[in-house]
Amino acid sequence: AQIRTVPCIVEKKTCALVSIHDLTDRHQLEEEHIRNEKLESIGLLAGGIAHDFNNSLSAVMGLVSIARHKSEGGSELESILHKAESAAVHARELTSQLLSFSREGAPDKQLYGVRDLLLESVNFGLSGSGTNVDFDIPVDIATVLVDRGQFHQVVSNLVINAKQAMNDKGELIVRARNVVWNNELGARARGPYVRIDIEDSGPGIPADIREKVLTPYFTTKETGTGLGLTTSLAIMIKHDGWLEFDSETGKGTEFSLYFPASSEIVDDAPETSDRVESTIPKGSGAILVMDDDPDVQATYRLALIELGYSVETVRDGDTAVARWLDAIENGTPFDLAILDLTIPGGMGGIETITRLRELDPGAVAIVASGYNHADVISDFRSAGFAASLKKPFTMQQIGKVLAGIMPASRESADPNLPR
């Protein structure tokens, strides 16, 4: 509190006028502002690292996928390659966590019912645990506009932390409530929110470290990175919400998530199947690939040839446009281009497809990027692309994307694409 004393004179008597102001909310918002600035600084670094790492991982993951495809099914070699591919997928998940900090880590928001998302995320976090969980989710809970993967990441991370704090036992309470935010302080928008509380019965967070809990790289775990809660905070900010916690030594900890509520209704339960098709769709046609990384170019070439396509690779947009026009003049046009979104020091995917479609309205292209949450990846049609490809990728994934377009060519190009 702030106490101010002002001398005054009333009825010829000397007195003091005391005013007391509660600055708790203001100090809390100042701390949040400082913390958000730190997150933004980390985001600039993390985004670049994740993009470069995803490029390198594209070569590793793609080549392992190709080798696995060529190996004999059920053999020891195929089993080893399957484990290597799984490790690469785990590495991709780590880069996704880094991208949550970056400006390019914009969430791909869709409308979901809270109940199904919450049950799925909590049960995943408690998998194999002896922790009891009590759900308190009213039937009238509002829907939310969220990135399903990022929602899952935040909730399961908090659940895993709670589970570890209770040594895989104890009681976990998960609540959801419709609330309205009316506070005039800070940048938080007034209006309806869905508040999700995750309360454990653990020992609580010691008072001397509570201010550090949401600080990047702070951890009390021997094997921890200190990025779990910071990542969760970054995700909540990108969802126009926030995260807070309350803890009392010996009585447990409660983390609260605030997501802006929607008035829309979800008719059907979201699809939860992540089943992977066992067959890899093949095709035919000529493909032009633009990517500045020679190792990624080589991976594209091997994968596409294995899938039945002919392929040529170039490193920048200017060369891609020139080769596309040369192929048309020579009577051997490309059926499709795969364009990397970002080319350091050169013309990237968006400018390249714009140039191509100005010169050849029938041009069809896929945008590829290691910035997997970039807006153009989720809204590729607005930028003039027929599909998007997230790096790193497997043969299965690139084959599936191409199967949705090829042998569609300039004769059967999507009429809904912008011209």
Side-chain angles (χ1 to χ4, degrees), residues 298-347:
T299 304
Y300 272 120
R301 191 178 300 111
L302 288 170
L304 294 173
I305 291 174
E306 186 68 22
L307 290 170
Y309 303 97
S310 62
V311 58
E312 182 176 338
T313 58
V314 295
R315 72 173 312 276
D316 57 51
D318 289 322
T319 309
V321 172
R323 282 298 302 122
W324 187 275
L325 295 178
D326 286 345
I328 292 176
E329 291 179 2
N330 294 333
T332 56
F334 290 103
D335 294 285
L336 181 138
I338 300 177
L339 307 175
D340 196 34
L341 178 62
T342 306
I343 302 293
M347 188 164 67

Side-chain angles (χ1 to χ4, degrees), residues 30-357:
E30 288 174 354
E31 290 173 0
E32 288 184 10
H33 178 69
I34 294 172
R35 195 160 52 224
N36 293 350
E37 286 185 334
K38 290 180 180 179
L39 286 177
E40 186 173 352
S41 298
I42 293 175
L44 294 174
L45 175 64
I49 291 175
H51 175 263
D52 292 344
F53 186 75
N54 269 344
N55 265 340
S56 298
L57 193 58
S58 292
V60 174
M61 192 169 178
L63 292 173
V64 169
S65 177
I66 295 167
R68 184 186 173 197
H69 176 68
K70 288 177 171 289
S71 65
E72 183 180 349
S75 66
E76 182 180 3
L77 176 60
E78 196 273 339
S79 176
I80 292 172
L81 291 170
H82 176 62
K83 291 178 181 177
E85 193 175 51
S86 297
V89 169
H90 178 65
R92 180 175 62 185
E93 292 170 354
L94 293 177
T95 61
S96 178
Q97 217 177 32
L98 282 175
L99 282 170
S100 297
F101 289 109
S102 71
R103 292 176 180 175
E104 291 77 12
D108 179 13
K109 297 179 183 179
Q110 298 181 50
L111 190 68
Y112 292 102
V114 170
R115 173 178 291 275
D116 290 337
L117 280 185
L118 202 49
L119 291 175
E120 177 188 2
S121 301
V122 172
N123 289 331
F124 175 84
L126 292 179
S127 178
S129 169
T131 302
N132 296 317
V133 59
D134 180 22
F135 289 99
D136 181 6
I137 309 172
V139 294
D140 65 341
I141 195 71
T143 55
V144 288
L145 198 63
V146 298
D147 182 307
R148 182 194 183 102
Q150 292 189 4
F151 180 99
H152 176 83
Q153 185 176 343
V154 171
V155 173
S156 60
N157 178 63
L158 294 179
V159 169
I160 290 171
N161 284 352
K163 178 180 69 174
Q164 293 174 345
M166 296 185 293
N167 294 320
D168 280 353
K169 52 188 177 182
E171 190 76 23
L172 185 69
I173 300 174
V174 178
R175 290 183 295 268
R177 292 287 184 271
N178 296 321
V179 299
V180 177
W181 178 259
N182 287 317
N183 199 322
E184 296 183 4
L185 291 174
R188 296 169 180 169
R190 298 184 192 178
Y193 288 82
V194 171
R195 170 175 166 163
I196 297 172
D197 298 323
I198 299 174
E199 180 183 351
D200 67 55
S201 58
I205 301 173
D208 59 334
I209 67 169
R210 288 173 193 165
E211 292 184 358
K212 303 176 184 178
V213 166
L214 298 177
T215 302
Y217 304 113
F218 175 79
T219 180
T220 58
K221 305 173 187 176
E222 292 183 3
T223 58
T225 62
L227 289 177
L229 285 175
T230 316
T231 301
S232 298
L233 177 61
I235 289 173
M236 294 305 300
I237 292 172
K238 288 176 186 262
H239 278 79
D240 299 317
W242 69 93
L243 177 156
E244 61 188 27
F245 72 93
D246 183 41
S247 185
E248 187 174 349
T249 304
K251 294 187 178 181
T253 301
E254 178 183 81
F255 277 88
S256 298
L257 307 170
Y258 290 82
F259 289 96
S262 172
S263 59
E264 297 184 55
I265 299 174
V266 178
D267 292 328
D268 299 313
E271 178 62 43
T272 59
S273 173
D274 292 323
R275 183 173 62 90
V276 177
E277 299 291 341
S278 58
T279 59
I280 299 179
K282 293 192 175 185
S284 62
I287 298 177
L288 177 66
V289 173
M290 180 190 79
D291 198 290
D292 64 302
D293 190 312
D295 291 333
V296 178
Q297 288 182 11
T299 304
Y300 272 120
R301 191 178 300 111
L302 288 170
L304 294 173
I305 291 174
E306 186 68 22
L307 290 170
Y309 303 97
S310 62
V311 58
E312 182 176 338
T313 58
V314 295
R315 72 173 312 276
D316 57 51
D318 289 322
T319 309
V321 172
R323 282 298 302 122
W324 187 275
L325 295 178
D326 286 345
I328 292 176
E329 291 179 2
N330 294 333
T332 56
F334 290 103
D335 294 285
L336 181 138
I338 300 177
L339 307 175
D340 196 34
L341 178 62
T342 306
I343 302 293
M347 188 164 67
I350 294 178
E351 188 177 353
T352 301
I353 186 58
T354 301
R355 288 272 300 278
L356 283 178
R357 292 179 70 83

Side-chain angles (χ1 to χ4, degrees), residues 366-388:
I366 294 171
V367 61
S369 180
Y371 287 123
N372 291 340
H373 294 295
D375 290 341
V376 71
I377 293 297
S378 58
D379 190 20
F380 51 84
R381 289 186 181 277
S382 294
F385 295 99
S388 64

